[in-house]
Amino acid sequence: MERWQTSIDPDSESFRTNREAMGALLKDVEEQLELARAGGGERSVERLRSRGKMMVRERLELLLDRDSPFLELSPLAGWGTDFAVGGGFVTGIGVVANVECMIAGNDPTVLGGAITPIVGKKIDRALEISRLNRLPYIQFVESAGADLRPRGGGSPEDEMRRQLGHFAESGRLFHDITELSAMRIPTVSVVFGSSTAGGAYQPGMSDYNIFIRGRSKVFLGGPPLVKMATGEDSDAEELGGAEVHATKSGLADYLAEDEADALRMARSVITHLNWRKLGPGPSMPPDEPLYDREDLLGLLPVDLRSPMDIREVIGRIVDGSRFEEFKPLYGPTLVTGWASIHGFPVGILGNNGVLFLDESQKAAQFIQLCNQIDVPIIFLQNITGYIVGKVYEQGGIVKEGSKMINAVSNSKVPHITVIIGASYGAGNYGMSGRAYDTRFVFTWPTAKISVMGPKQLAGVMSIVRRAAAARTGEEFNEAQDAMITAGVEEFTEKASLALYATGRVVDDGIIDPRDTRTVLGITLSACHSNEVKGAQGYGVYRM
């Protein structure tokens, strides 16, 4: 493969401007990460420690292999909502006893580990990643169950509808845990404290359960509820303590003396699984790129209207900066080609502009080729969408764009998407957005995700209002329209930001551009825990 030759000048004014802007965005992200790591705040942390307990990330450190990486997923879930940044729940991929596992854990300093709507989304995504990639699932359980506190701001009927919806979503996790077991993907629960109601079913549905003497308490209804329901008087320990479940109910498979002992037992369980990956290992030289990863900070303008050659990113994340470009002279606004990342062969699709007819055809063909040779696909999104206009509509952009989306939809090799800039409208779909069973989706701080650009959306709505006024013969209020247009543009701009999207678990996390190669390496390795096999056929293309 040829080595990509950069044309970037790190000493140029534009590069320095881009780097400074990216640095400011990364600073904002780091401040929010600090909030997430702080959990429920100083008082809650002190209360936890006074009980001789560890923070959730301290538990993680003892579980993971020494000096191994942990890729935390959706660490800023909850940003911009009524819930704590991070959601009070930690998920990620880590190595336990030389086995890559999905690990999920309640943070008991946040609402006692209650399952809020944000926590529910993180759990759903963690279980999905475990299922798609065939990763053993380890959960740290310490939960008060579903968070059913009234939110206010609506009628009693609205509140009941919200609670019923959350109740149904929370119950889905029990189905998904047992589904993993049916797929022969092991599930392990380590119960660190009181787990009530819905929280009790988490270990109830797991293959292996580890309880801690004097700490773990699991019951459908605690002492107050039992008193109200049956009239019985009982304390928490005799009702559902660790020794009760280890000696009488049989729910506990292992009885640990303390938290460190429980984590040691969890590692032992993973060891005896004799786990083997189904996909092939790395097969290419994993040498570092020729160009400094620090350059990634200065490549992309924060103003996404300015152009950037996606090959400059590719040359800084692939092994040895080697890239065999496919159809380099055809459909130039979409770059496609072959490379490897940390030794794993990959196909890459990256945007250099809007998608025209030729680009759509090129993408569909390339995706099929990747499926023929069982190679995962990396999508690097910086896309405002498919081209519009009379000439292109008559030329068949809907038909050709649909071929590309058909290819993406029916592709069976793993897809990993990194949104580095714009991700608007159907461009998000064609470039394997979250809705397309994409194994992992990450964003750079510069990313913007929306149905269309803020100015375009606000402008379209203004045109619709103007047309409606003309149809009814009403006088069009220019001043009011200008105010509405500005408001729509402002809201859409805010709602398209990477922090807004990641706060609602639309992606798997915002990453530092310099970490892109490392994150791709970890996720590619995780994907290869499952079989990597391309599609045997596709849906009907309108030729």
Side-chain angles (χ1 to χ4, degrees):
M1 293 184 185
E2 294 184 3
R3 296 180 185 270
W4 166 250
Q5 298 298 317
T6 185
S7 60
I8 291 295
D9 178 9
D11 295 323
S12 68
E13 182 178 350
S14 61
F15 186 93
R16 290 196 299 269
T17 300
N18 294 344
R19 184 185 178 91
E20 289 172 5
M22 181 69 81
L25 292 174
L26 286 172
K27 182 180 179 183
D28 292 341
V29 170
E30 183 56 38
E31 288 174 356
Q32 297 304 314
L33 287 171
E34 287 293 333
L35 286 177
R37 289 190 283 261
E42 189 174 338
R43 288 184 60 185
S44 296
V45 172
E46 288 179 357
R47 184 165 59 249
L48 185 78
R49 294 198 184 286
S50 70
R51 297 171 180 171
K53 292 187 173 185
M54 291 184 281
M55 293 285 287
V56 63
R57 286 179 173 80
E58 294 170 337
R59 293 167 178 169
L60 270 171
E61 288 180 11
L62 284 183
L63 177 71
L64 297 173
D65 291 358
R66 188 183 299 275
D67 297 327
S68 67
F70 178 69
L71 177 60
E72 186 170 350
L73 302 173
S74 302
L76 299 184
W79 182 92
T81 72
D82 294 334
F83 303 100
V85 177
F89 198 76
V90 176
T91 64
I93 298 172
V95 181
V96 179
N98 292 319
V99 176
E100 287 157 322
C101 299
M102 169 56 67
I103 306 166
N106 297 107
D107 183 345
T109 68
V110 181
L111 299 177
I115 303 174
T116 67
I118 291 295
V119 172
K121 288 183 178 181
K122 292 187 75 169
I123 293 176
D124 286 347
R125 182 58 175 155
L127 289 165
E128 180 182 34
I129 289 173
S130 177
R131 180 175 64 252
L132 291 175
N133 299 290
R134 191 176 162 271
L135 299 175
Y137 188 81
I138 303 173
Q139 53 184 350
F140 296 167
V141 184
E142 189 166 4
S143 171
D147 175 24
L148 298 178
R149 298 172 302 156
R151 292 275 170 251
S155 67
E157 184 178 349
D158 290 338
E159 179 61 29
M160 181 56 68
R161 189 180 298 112
R162 185 198 66 79
Q163 290 206 16
L164 286 173
H166 181 41
F167 173 72
E169 291 170 2
S170 299
R172 179 69 188 184
L173 78 92
F174 311 139
H175 167 280
D176 290 349
I177 291 172
T178 56
E179 183 182 46
L180 290 182
S181 182
M183 296 174 68
R184 304 182 71 179
I185 300 174
T187 56
V188 181
S189 285
V190 185
V191 182
F192 286 96
S194 180
S195 298
T196 311
Y201 282 114
Q202 288 177 261
M205 301 293 179
S206 297
D207 294 345
Y208 301 89
N209 286 324
I210 301 166
F211 284 40
I212 303 171
R213 192 188 306 275
R215 296 285 178 85
S216 307
K217 295 175 179 59
V218 176
F219 27 61
L220 295 184
L225 179 58
V226 170
K227 177 67 175 178
M228 292 298 297
T230 68
E232 293 179 355
D233 289 311
S234 58
D235 61 34
E237 191 63 37
E238 64 179 339
L239 186 64
E243 290 191 59
V244 167
H245 287 303
T247 60
K248 296 183 179 180
S249 80
L251 179 61
D253 304 311
Y254 303 87
L255 183 61
E257 296 302 320
D258 54 29
E259 292 192 3
D261 190 34
L263 293 166
R264 178 191 61 77
M265 289 179 174
R267 289 181 54 82
S268 294
V269 168
I270 299 300
T271 298
H272 89 245
L273 296 176
N274 194 31
W275 194 251
R276 294 290 185 271
K277 288 189 173 189
L278 297 182
S283 59
M284 304 288 283
D287 40 328
E288 290 292 315
L290 295 180
Y291 307 107
D292 194 341
R293 66 174 190 160
E294 293 288 329
D295 293 347
L296 292 169
L297 297 180
L299 296 181
L300 186 66
V302 173
D303 180 358
L304 299 179
R305 293 172 297 182
S306 301
M308 184 208 68
D309 189 348
I310 197 67
R311 297 177 186 86
E312 296 288 357
V313 175
I314 295 171
R316 288 164 175 81
I317 63 174
V318 301
D319 295 338
S321 300
R322 293 182 295 272
F323 183 58
E324 178 189 327
E325 190 166 352
F326 177 76
K327 285 188 183 295
L329 304 179
Y330 181 79
T333 63
L334 182 70
V335 175
T336 57
W338 315 99
S340 65
I341 297 176
H342 285 281
F344 290 102
V346 295
I348 299 177
L349 288 85
N351 300 121
N352 263 355
V354 298
L355 293 165
F356 292 86
L357 284 78
D358 291 352
E359 283 75 7
S360 301
Q361 293 175 0
K362 175 179 174 178
Q365 179 186 358
F366 184 73
I367 291 167
Q368 291 178 78
L369 292 175
C370 290
N371 276 262
Q372 279 193 337
I373 60 174
D374 301 333
V375 168
I377 305 174
I378 307 297
F379 292 83
L380 301 176
Q381 285 195 18
N382 185 16
I383 178 66
T384 55
Y386 290 87
I387 192 67
V388 296
K390 186 186 300 184
V391 172
Y392 302 106
E393 296 292 357
Q394 293 177 356
I397 186 60
V398 172
K399 183 180 69 172
E400 300 305 329
S402 296
K403 289 180 185 177
M404 179 177 176
I405 295 175
N406 186 320
V408 169
S409 301
N410 290 289
S411 171
K412 298 303 180 185
V413 295
H415 294 183
I416 303 173
T417 297
V418 182
I419 304 174
I420 69 172
S423 180
Y424 294 154
N428 175 279
Y429 308 154
M431 290 295 291
S432 197
R434 175 69 181 275
Y436 285 76
D437 291 333
T438 306
R439 299 291 183 93
F440 298 93
V441 179
F442 297 97
T443 58
W444 282 11
T446 41
K448 291 184 179 180
I449 307 169
S450 179
V451 65
M452 65 177 71
K455 286 185 179 295
Q456 289 77 12
L457 179 60
V460 167
M461 293 177 69
S462 175
I463 292 171
V464 171
R465 288 192 298 273
R466 193 178 297 273
R471 283 196 305 271
T472 59
E474 297 178 5
E475 183 180 353
F476 190 69
N477 190 324
E478 296 286 355
Q480 183 183 45
D481 180 73
M483 183 176 65
I484 295 173
T485 298
V488 170
E489 186 175 336
E490 180 182 2
F491 174 78
T492 307
E493 176 68 23
K494 177 184 176 182
S496 70
L497 297 178
L499 275 172
Y500 190 95
T502 205
R504 287 144 187 84
V505 201
V506 174
D507 58 34
D508 295 312
I510 300 175
I511 61 174
D512 186 321
R514 294 169 294 189
D515 294 333
T516 303
R517 173 176 163 82
T518 300
V519 169
L520 289 175
I522 293 172
T523 51
L524 282 167
S525 183
C527 289
H528 282 73
S529 184
N530 206 348
E531 186 179 25
V532 179
K533 188 174 183 180
Q536 302 302 303
Y538 281 85
V540 174
Y541 286 178
R542 289 186 175 272
M543 302 305 291

